[in-house]
Amino acid sequence: MENITIRETQNPSILKFEFSDFVAKSSNYEFKNIDETANSPLAKKLFYLPFIKTVYISGNFIALEKYSIVEWEDVQDEVASQIEQFVNTGGQIVIEEEPKKKQPSTIYVETTPNPAVLKFVSNKLLTKTSAEFKNIDETAASPLAKELFKFPFVKEVFIDENYISITKYAVTEWDEITAEIRSFIRTYIENGNPVIDESLIQNMPQAEKQQEAYFDALDVTSQRIINILEEYVKPAVQADGGNIAFESYDEDDKRVKVILQGACSGCPSSTFTLKSGIENMLKDMLNDNDIKVEAINA
């Protein structure tokens, strides 16, 4: 049978109800309302008391913060009795998840041709489907990207295979923030936190053109262009922390439109690369000197 010990705190609104043993072994918990109590049946029960404002569970105690509509001396014994009855009849105080095992992770940093972008390379596969995030509102599919946007200097995030390309705002220099970002990404991955939900990425407009069904519906020339980009161009731009995605091919105008992502987006040398490199390659491999290449986001 559990007997509760009531102890005052320095805050007159908060009272501690101590147990003889630990009730929270792996973490501390704070519940502001009943909607947050999915993993604490006891906290849920306590919120049915109209004067309970916040429930804290830590170590061997539960601390309760009250609204000013009552005084603790009028209700504390009844609250303690309810907690004892709940616990002694088999009620669960908190449902604790097994702590995540750390996954050793290495993150190293590479520069890119784009001075506004650094490439943070992981020793683990992060995603099979590349994804670009221009702002925090687009990050539903990537909890990591969402966290990165909380840094005030992060402008854009691009994730592909085993690396993350981060574009910064010009107000900050890389030497001031690189170590902080690298450490954050490494710790985030080591703790087993989700990087990207590929099932959600598949539903994003940018992923549509990566699907087989999209490729199969294209004309033969468009398919050849995609194959050339995938085999000869993409490995090079990925090495620089970027990506090139096929957008469209106009057979009448002989114009190939592409999307530049990651370090390639906004890169000062991207126009030169498109014209002197990719355009010439397509002209040669398609045997058509009228081919033109343009990036719709250059």
Side-chain angles (χ1 to χ4, degrees), residues 35-102:
D35 295 330
E36 298 177 354
T37 59
N39 64 331
S40 177
L42 176 56
K44 182 176 182 179
K45 179 179 175 64
L46 290 169
F47 273 114
Y48 285 116
L49 300 172
F51 52 83
I52 296 297
K53 181 179 181 181
T54 310
V55 178
Y56 307 92
I57 301 177
S58 178
N60 70 329
F61 68 86
I62 295 172
L64 300 179
E65 181 181 11
K66 68 173 182 66
Y67 288 106
S68 58
I69 56 175
V70 297
E71 298 299 328
W72 272 125
E73 61 184 21
D74 297 327
V75 296
Q76 63 186 40
D77 291 336
E78 176 59 27
V79 172
S81 176
Q82 285 194 29
I83 295 174
E84 287 177 355
Q85 183 181 9
F86 180 86
V87 174
N88 291 330
T89 54
Q92 282 187 288
I93 297 174
V94 66
I95 303 169
E96 295 196 279
E97 297 179 355
E98 288 292 324
K100 295 177 181 176
K101 292 183 179 179
K102 287 204 169 185

Side-chain angles (χ1 to χ4, degrees), residues 202-250:
Q202 300 297 336
N203 296 327
M204 296 174 64
Q206 60 182 276
E208 178 188 347
K209 291 183 170 58
Q210 300 181 50
Q211 307 304 314
E212 285 186 20
Y214 173 81
F215 180 86
D216 293 340
L218 292 173
D219 61 90
V220 175
T221 304
S222 293
Q223 291 179 346
R224 291 184 64 192
I225 291 169
I226 290 176
N227 287 334
I228 292 169
L229 294 177
E230 288 288 329
E231 185 174 354
Y232 298 99
V233 180
K234 187 168 287 188
V237 296
Q238 284 180 325
D240 286 336
N243 187 45
I244 184 168
F246 174 82
E247 174 64 21
S248 65
Y249 169 64
D250 187 324

Side-chain angles (χ1 to χ4, degrees), residues 6 34 104 259 261 264:
I6 301 173
I34 197 169
I259 298 173
Q261 297 176 314
C264 297

Side-chain angles (χ1 to χ4, degrees), residues 8-279:
E8 294 181 352
T9 70
Q10 293 182 339
N11 186 336
S13 296
I14 299 176
L15 205 62
K16 290 173 68 173
F17 298 81
E18 291 186 353
F19 293 78
S20 57
D21 200 0
F22 281 85
V23 295
K25 297 178 181 179
S26 64
S27 188
N28 303 317
Y29 303 88
E30 179 179 348
F31 306 99
K32 292 289 189 181
N33 55 65
I34 197 169
D35 295 330
E36 298 177 354
T37 59
N39 64 331
S40 177
L42 176 56
K44 182 176 182 179
K45 179 179 175 64
L46 290 169
F47 273 114
Y48 285 116
L49 300 172
F51 52 83
I52 296 297
K53 181 179 181 181
T54 310
V55 178
Y56 307 92
I57 301 177
S58 178
N60 70 329
F61 68 86
I62 295 172
L64 300 179
E65 181 181 11
K66 68 173 182 66
Y67 288 106
S68 58
I69 56 175
V70 297
E71 298 299 328
W72 272 125
E73 61 184 21
D74 297 327
V75 296
Q76 63 186 40
D77 291 336
E78 176 59 27
V79 172
S81 176
Q82 285 194 29
I83 295 174
E84 287 177 355
Q85 183 181 9
F86 180 86
V87 174
N88 291 330
T89 54
Q92 282 187 288
I93 297 174
V94 66
I95 303 169
E96 295 196 279
E97 297 179 355
E98 288 292 324
K100 295 177 181 176
K101 292 183 179 179
K102 287 204 169 185
Q103 306 171 10
S105 177
T106 301
I107 300 292
Y108 66 90
V109 182
E110 292 182 354
T111 58
T112 76
N114 188 339
V117 179
L118 276 188
K119 181 180 176 184
F120 295 81
V121 185
S122 170
N123 62 331
K124 301 178 183 298
L125 180 69
L126 304 177
T127 182
K128 295 177 182 177
T129 308
S130 63
E132 184 176 42
F133 307 96
K134 295 289 191 181
N135 55 65
I136 196 169
D137 296 330
E138 298 178 354
T139 58
S142 177
L144 174 55
K146 183 175 183 178
E147 292 302 313
L148 287 170
F149 273 112
K150 293 179 181 178
F151 289 99
F153 42 76
V154 171
K155 182 180 180 182
E156 296 177 14
V157 177
F158 176 74
I159 304 176
D160 191 11
E161 295 186 351
N162 69 326
Y163 68 89
I164 303 161
S165 289
I166 295 178
T167 307
K168 70 171 181 66
Y169 286 104
V171 292
T172 308
E173 298 301 323
W174 276 123
D175 58 5
E176 299 171 357
I177 59 176
T178 300
E180 182 181 4
I181 297 179
R182 177 178 173 272
S183 176
F184 174 80
I185 294 174
R186 186 184 69 246
T187 302
Y188 184 96
I189 294 173
E190 283 183 341
N191 288 336
N193 294 311
V195 173
I196 206 163
D197 184 338
E198 292 196 55
S199 64
L200 294 178
I201 288 292
Q202 300 297 336
N203 296 327
M204 296 174 64
Q206 60 182 276
E208 178 188 347
K209 291 183 170 58
Q210 300 181 50
Q211 307 304 314
E212 285 186 20
Y214 173 81
F215 180 86
D216 293 340
L218 292 173
D219 61 90
V220 175
T221 304
S222 293
Q223 291 179 346
R224 291 184 64 192
I225 291 169
I226 290 176
N227 287 334
I228 292 169
L229 294 177
E230 288 288 329
E231 185 174 354
Y232 298 99
V233 180
K234 187 168 287 188
V237 296
Q238 284 180 325
D240 286 336
N243 187 45
I244 184 168
F246 174 82
E247 174 64 21
S248 65
Y249 169 64
D250 187 324
E251 191 171 359
D252 295 327
D253 192 34
K254 300 296 182 70
R255 188 178 303 276
V256 180
K257 293 184 179 181
V258 297
I259 298 173
L260 300 177
Q261 297 176 314
C264 297
S265 179
C267 178
S269 62
S270 61
T271 302
F272 176 79
T273 302
L274 283 174
K275 293 299 178 184
S276 66
I278 300 170
E279 187 175 286

